[in-house]
Amino acid sequence: VDQFLFYGGYPGSATLINDSDRFEQYIQSSIIDATINKDILMNTPISKPALLKQTFELGCAYSGNLLSLNKCLVHFKIQVTHLHWQDM
């Protein structure tokens, strides 16, 4: 049961449980990349697909935790200048 909860029940990856590198590559290429590329990028106009993928990876890394906008900005190395309400 613990193994099933940790690795999930995806049948294609069941044979790769003992090889963590191949398991991770399989999940990345067969599930994550395929979903982002086929389901999201082909059906929705995204101006920065690389940023979408990075945002997804960051969300996965902080799964179950609070993720602030400041953490995102630091992760993406985005510098934000303070705007005055009059400038908006």
Side-chain angles (χ1 to χ4, degrees):
V1 173
D2 290 337
Q3 189 178 38
F4 180 80
L5 291 174
F6 184 80
Y7 289 103
Y10 196 69
S13 62
T15 58
L16 303 173
I17 288 174
N18 295 325
D19 187 351
S20 61
D21 290 335
R22 286 187 61 209
F23 177 82
E24 187 176 318
Q25 289 174 347
Y26 180 83
I27 296 297
Q28 180 71 36
S29 63
S30 297
I31 299 174
I32 298 172
D33 289 343
T35 301
I36 290 175
N37 291 332
K38 292 178 185 173
D39 294 343
I40 298 173
L41 296 178
M42 293 187 93
N43 296 322
T44 308
I46 305 289
S47 62
K48 297 182 180 182
L51 186 59
L52 173 68
K53 289 180 182 180
Q54 288 178 330
T55 305
F56 177 80
E57 291 171 1
L58 184 64
C60 290
Y62 283 91
S63 178
N65 297 311
L66 293 176
L67 179 59
S68 70
L69 180 59
N70 289 336
K71 283 183 184 178
C72 294
L73 296 175
V74 168
H75 177 78
F76 298 129
K77 297 175 178 62
I78 298 173
Q79 186 170 1
V80 178
T81 58
H82 295 306
L83 296 176
H84 296 285
W85 286 106
Q86 299 89 343
D87 298 335
M88 294 180 77

